[in-house]
Amino acid sequence: MAAILRFRKLCFLDPVKCSTVSVQSFEKPKNDEKQSFEQPQKPESLVSAIERVLEKPKSKKIKKQPKEWRCVDSCCWLIGYLCTSWWLLLFLCNFLPANLPGLRVPEAPGVRLKRDGLTALHPVVLVPGIVTGGLELWEGRPCSEGLFRKRLWGGSFTEIFKRPLCWLEHLSLDNETGLDPPGIRVRAVPGLVAADYFAPGYFVWAVLIENLAKIGYEQKNMYMAAYDWRLSFQNTEIRDQSLSRLKSKIELMYVTNGYKKVVVVPHSMGVIYFLHFLKWVEAPPPVGGGGGQGWCAKHIKAIMNIGPAFLGVPKAVANILSAEGRDVAFIRSMAPGLLDSETFGFQTLQHIMRVSRTWDSVISLVPRGGETIWGDLNKSPEVENICYTSKARYLQSSSKENNGNDTDAKRSFHVKEQPRYGRIISFGKEKLELPSSQLSIIDSKELMRGSASRISNTSCGEVSSEYDEMSRNNIKKVVESDAYTASSLLDLLRFVAPKMMKRAEAHFSHGIAEDLDDLKYTHYKYWSNPLETKLPNAPDMEIFCSYGVGIPTERSYVYKLSSSDRCKSIPLQIDSSAYGRDNGCLKGGVHFVDGDESVPVVSAGFMCAKGWRGKTRFNPSGISTYIREHQHKAPLSLLEGRGTESGAHVDIMGNVAFIEDVLRIAGGATGAELGGDRIYSDIMKMSDRINIRL
């Protein structure tokens, strides 16, 4: 009787096991059915059978093997973590009180200044730089079906993943003319949307435009001077009449806004593009705009240059030599062969080099002024540049704020290593420490003679670059010269990229003028070089150099020969194994100096600090110049986005202090009313070390 009760309890509490028991306990082979009826089991045997069945699941549970962990499981967990983090951040941004410490959003400068009575006065013209302006398709090859007037550059970049080779083909220019290839027309996106956002959520001009709107600006008194940033500056006029349209727009805004002069705000390469415009607009037609000598004085109040690349950037050289910079060199060191692997047909760097070498504008960013500006084999203006850890940077910043003098902080964290930044390209780290007398320097004439013995290699297909027309011996000849300065760099570039340099050097020059009254300087190729042209006769106009400081910025490179000798490989690459001593300036094959992450201080600030300061041969009318530096302060958390006190090359466009400067100047203030110069870096000392005739 007790066995029966236990059996009923088991069935009610665990029916699954009960059914199992019934199957295993009572099922018999067919030939034994009769016997089972004749000889029923005793209660004791039933209990023992139930107990045996109950023990089986326990044994199975013990013997169960753990599930094998697969790569898919790792990916799913990673995606899950990312999604959870994203939703958590979204929750924090939308539901936490805004007045908590670290979450308080500062009041927009436009709102605050409008409350103080500031309103729109002078029309504003915005001039974007390289890369940040959108490009759209007007005519293309069959592979571009469905992309008419769709953005190929700027925006979502979805076409990169859908049809990457077609996308690259349409972004390339003709190697001979520097203009459109046959059957392709790509044009700049017009209007404020051309460069307000580079990609969804990544602002460029959007924050500044929004704050200008808060004090009364709109499209009738604010204009984005979009242009095709791939072209040489004069070719933007030849193909698109971009300079003529800019001239007409400024004249129209001047008249329709009560004859108020225009405030121009160019950024990065747009700074030297507008410098070219200043000479073009006064030059006689057909080469110039025919505005005459007084046009700038009549129409322009101030030029507020943001992150100006007046004297070029060394990273442009690395882009031409190996299509890489600090970040790409790091990726190549961590995953060798990933970016230029033939396995999956990526060859990313080769494609980048093939396309970018058709853009003449890249040459406009090659360092100007030679060794006079950038230094020779032994010295450079940044000779006292201090390399220190993040902790030292914080202590130095605190010392500046508290004492107004950072001499002690610099002395405390000074590094024994003395980088020779004038050696912009060095082959081997040991070449950096040798005195110039022990270096092997190849004569430029000998280097150029080697460029004549080039071979034609057609086996590389569409990915081929000018390196494919060079023999391995000619490539090794490049390395025979241990180091290259800003002067010898031009010969190096002519050697490795002769087609590009021949085409582009018809539009740009990189020297220093001896006699600015020489008639040769009336040619347009000199107009974008501040060292080979004069500012207009406009004594009432003001020029501002606004840029960030306090961020390590690429200045020179250690190179090596690539180990690969494949046809499609790039034979030169940054030596990412080269590091300096004691947290020095050399990291991953790249030397760093003070700057805004893209433009070194000497390039951004020298013209306002010395070249144009007062009446000089480059500034004969004595236009007032001001330096407005912004000490970089990184955001405290992800919730602050890209920061409101950033000094980075693009993020500075959201810097509250910079936006306030623009709004005040547009509202009628002068440079003196802003407070004059605001300097955190050693730009004045650097400028004093540059021996140039003024």
Side-chain angles (χ1 to χ4, degrees):
M1 187 65 183
I4 295 174
L5 291 175
R6 290 176 61 189
F7 180 73
R8 290 183 61 188
K9 182 179 180 182
L10 177 64
C11 291
F12 283 106
L13 292 178
D14 197 348
V16 176
K17 294 178 181 178
C18 175
S19 60
T20 305
V21 171
S22 62
V23 172
Q24 294 180 352
S25 302
F26 299 112
E27 280 190 359
K28 296 287 183 179
K30 292 183 178 180
N31 55 0
D32 293 332
E33 287 182 358
K34 184 177 180 181
Q35 184 179 357
S36 63
F37 285 107
E38 294 176 353
Q39 298 177 356
Q41 292 182 341
K42 296 180 180 181
E44 292 77 11
S45 61
L46 181 61
V47 173
S48 60
I50 294 173
E51 290 177 348
R52 285 197 303 271
V53 172
L54 290 176
E55 291 177 357
K56 287 184 180 180
K58 294 182 181 179
S59 61
K60 287 183 180 180
K61 186 174 182 180
I62 296 173
K63 295 180 181 180
K64 186 177 181 181
Q65 297 296 326
K67 186 179 179 181
E68 182 180 356
W69 190 264
R70 298 171 298 172
C71 181
V72 176
D73 299 324
S74 301
C75 295
C76 292
W77 274 101
L78 178 60
I79 294 172
Y81 282 131
L82 292 175
C83 292
T84 303
S85 302
W86 170 256
W87 285 108
L88 179 61
L89 288 174
L90 188 64
F91 171 80
L92 292 175
C93 290
N94 288 277
F95 296 101
L96 287 182
N99 57 356
L100 287 178
L103 296 180
R104 188 174 300 139
V105 178
E107 187 177 31
V111 174
R112 175 165 43 82
L113 293 177
K114 180 181 180 181
R115 188 172 58 248
D116 294 341
L118 186 68
T119 57
L121 182 62
H122 294 274
V124 173
V125 172
L126 311 175
V127 185
I130 191 170
V131 171
T132 54
L135 301 173
E136 61 185 16
L137 181 69
W138 281 81
E139 180 185 4
R141 303 282 166 78
C143 66
S144 65
E145 184 69 27
L147 296 180
F148 176 68
R149 293 200 63 199
K150 298 290 181 63
R151 287 201 180 199
L152 294 185
W153 186 267
S156 63
F157 290 94
T158 54
E159 295 308 317
I160 298 178
F161 305 102
K162 291 181 180 179
R163 31 191 158 180
L165 294 181
C166 181
W167 177 76
L168 290 170
E169 180 184 8
H170 286 76
L171 282 180
S172 301
L173 295 171
D174 188 272
N175 249 326
E176 300 295 329
T177 64
L179 297 171
D180 292 323
I184 293 178
R185 281 187 295 152
V186 175
R187 298 293 181 263
V189 176
L192 295 175
V193 296
D196 54 352
Y197 288 92
F198 177 65
Y202 190 90
F203 72 83
V204 182
W205 293 89
V207 178
L208 178 59
I209 292 172
E210 181 180 357
N211 280 275
L212 284 166
K214 292 183 185 301
I215 64 171
Y217 281 92
E218 51 187 288
Q219 293 193 8
K220 69 179 181 181
N221 54 3
M222 180 168 51
Y223 172 67
M224 179 74 74
Y227 61 97
D228 191 337
W229 45 263
R230 302 172 301 161
L231 303 176
S232 69
F233 302 156
Q234 193 66 14
N235 274 345
T236 63
E237 172 63 18
I238 293 172
R239 195 194 73 175
D240 302 333
Q241 291 75 53
S242 295
L243 300 176
S244 294
R245 289 188 284 112
L246 176 55
K247 174 177 180 284
S248 299
K249 189 66 177 181
I250 290 177
E251 292 172 342
L252 178 64
M253 294 172 73
Y254 170 74
V255 173
T256 57
N257 287 277
Y259 298 95
K260 296 292 190 300
K261 294 182 181 181
V262 173
V263 173
V264 183
V265 189
H267 174 243
S268 189
M269 191 189 76
V271 169
I272 53 179
Y273 176 78
F274 192 75
L275 186 64
H276 179 97
F277 171 83
L278 293 179
K279 295 298 292 184
W280 174 89
V281 74
E282 293 186 340
V287 178
Q293 294 299 312
W295 191 93
C296 294
K298 178 181 179 181
H299 294 94
I300 300 178
K301 174 189 185 293
I303 305 173
M304 302 197 69
N305 303 296
I306 317 168
F310 281 124
L311 303 178
V313 290
K315 65 176 5 178
V317 178
N319 179 273
I320 298 172
L321 286 181
S322 57
E324 61 181 338
R326 170 187 57 181
D327 299 329
V328 174
F330 175 76
I331 294 174
R332 291 182 77 173
S333 66
M334 296 299 294
L338 175 64
L339 296 178
D340 50 2
S341 173
E342 290 187 17
T343 305
F344 300 102
F346 290 156
Q347 296 128 16
T348 308
L349 295 181
Q350 288 85 342
H351 282 299
I352 293 173
M353 175 173 288
R354 177 175 63 89
V355 174
S356 63
R357 282 195 176 186
T358 67
W359 300 343
D360 289 347
S361 59
V362 174
I363 300 298
S364 73
L365 296 174
V366 170
R368 292 182 164 95
E371 294 181 1
T372 302
I373 299 295
W374 296 93
D376 55 25
L377 294 172
N378 295 316
K379 63 181 184 303
S380 65
E382 302 98 333
V383 66
E384 293 184 3
N385 180 68
I386 306 304
C387 307
Y388 36 77
T389 63
S390 58
K391 181 179 180 181
R393 283 200 299 271
Y394 173 78
L395 293 176
Q396 179 183 352
S397 177
S398 302
S399 175
K400 279 188 175 184
E401 294 176 0
N402 297 332
N403 305 323
N405 187 347
D406 63 329
T407 303
D408 295 336
K410 285 186 176 182
R411 187 177 294 115
S412 300
F413 297 98
H414 196 283
V415 179
K416 294 180 180 180
E417 179 187 2
Q418 293 294 329
R420 294 178 172 90
Y421 298 110
R423 306 176 188 186
I424 296 181
I425 299 293
S426 302
F427 284 94
K429 180 190 171 185
E430 66 278 2
K431 305 300 191 304
L432 295 174
E433 302 174 356
L434 292 176
S436 58
S437 59
Q438 299 181 22
L439 294 176
S440 174
I441 304 299
I442 190 171
D443 183 66
S444 60
K445 294 181 179 179
E446 182 181 350
L447 189 65
M448 294 312 296
R449 277 198 300 269
S451 65
S453 58
R454 303 174 75 86
I455 61 175
S456 178
N457 193 335
T458 59
S459 63
C460 292
E462 296 181 355
V463 193
S464 62
S465 65
E466 294 189 70
Y467 279 123
D468 301 312
E469 301 174 8
M470 300 175 64
S471 67
R472 194 68 180 178
N473 289 334
N474 273 353
I475 293 172
K476 290 180 179 178
K477 187 173 291 187
V478 172
V479 188
E480 291 178 5
S481 191
D482 293 337
Y484 293 86
T485 64
S487 297
S488 56
L489 263 179
L490 296 176
D491 291 325
L492 172 62
L493 297 179
R494 294 184 189 108
F495 183 74
V496 301
K499 293 179 182 177
M500 179 187 192
M501 293 298 290
K502 181 180 179 181
R503 184 186 67 245
E505 285 192 307
H507 293 269
F508 300 106
S509 179
H510 299 83
I512 301 177
E514 291 296 327
D515 181 10
L516 287 169
D517 294 324
D518 192 325
L519 290 179
K520 78 173 186 178
Y521 292 110
T522 59
H523 192 279
Y524 57 77
K525 78 174 187 177
Y526 300 102
W527 291 349
S528 62
N529 184 356
L531 301 175
E532 294 182 303
T533 188
K534 297 179 183 179
L535 289 177
N537 184 15
D540 295 332
M541 189 171 76
E542 295 180 323
I543 296 179
F544 296 83
C545 293
S546 300
Y547 53 89
V549 296
I551 307 178
T553 304
E554 297 175 40
R555 177 59 164 81
S556 59
Y557 304 87
V558 177
Y559 265 81
K560 66 178 181 180
L561 274 176
S562 173
S563 58
S564 174
D565 58 355
R566 297 193 310 267
C567 173
K568 296 179 181 180
S569 66
I570 297 175
L572 304 177
Q573 69 178 85
I574 295 175
D575 185 0
S576 56
S577 65
Y579 277 81
R581 299 187 299 268
D582 303 324
N583 295 314
C585 302
L586 179 63
K587 295 182 179 180
V590 182
H591 263 127
F592 295 94
V593 293
D594 194 8
D596 68 357
E597 201 172 36
S598 293
V599 183
V601 165
V602 68
S603 177
F606 171 76
M607 294 310 297
C608 283
K610 185 174 182 179
W612 291 332
R613 185 61 60 106
K615 285 190 177 183
T616 68
R617 65 191 185 107
F618 305 112
N619 181 17
S621 65
I623 296 173
S624 299
T625 62
Y626 300 94
I627 296 176
R628 302 287 290 175
E629 293 184 344
H630 299 272
Q631 181 70 44
H632 175 70
K633 183 179 179 182
L636 298 176
S637 67
L638 292 175
L639 300 178
E640 291 189 24
R642 289 153 63 191
T644 57
E645 297 181 65
S646 175
H649 189 62
V650 176
D651 295 354
I652 193 175
M653 308 281 272
N655 186 298
V656 170
F658 162 73
I659 294 173
E660 183 173 335
D661 282 356
V662 174
L663 267 58
R664 289 188 182 278
I665 294 297
T670 63
E673 292 172 340
L674 287 185
D677 294 332
R678 182 177 59 211
I679 300 174
Y680 297 100
S681 70
D682 288 336
I683 182 59
M684 303 308 291
K685 292 181 180 179
M686 295 180 196
S687 300
D688 289 340
R689 297 187 192 106
I690 296 175
N691 186 16
I692 187 172
R693 184 171 63 88
L694 299 176

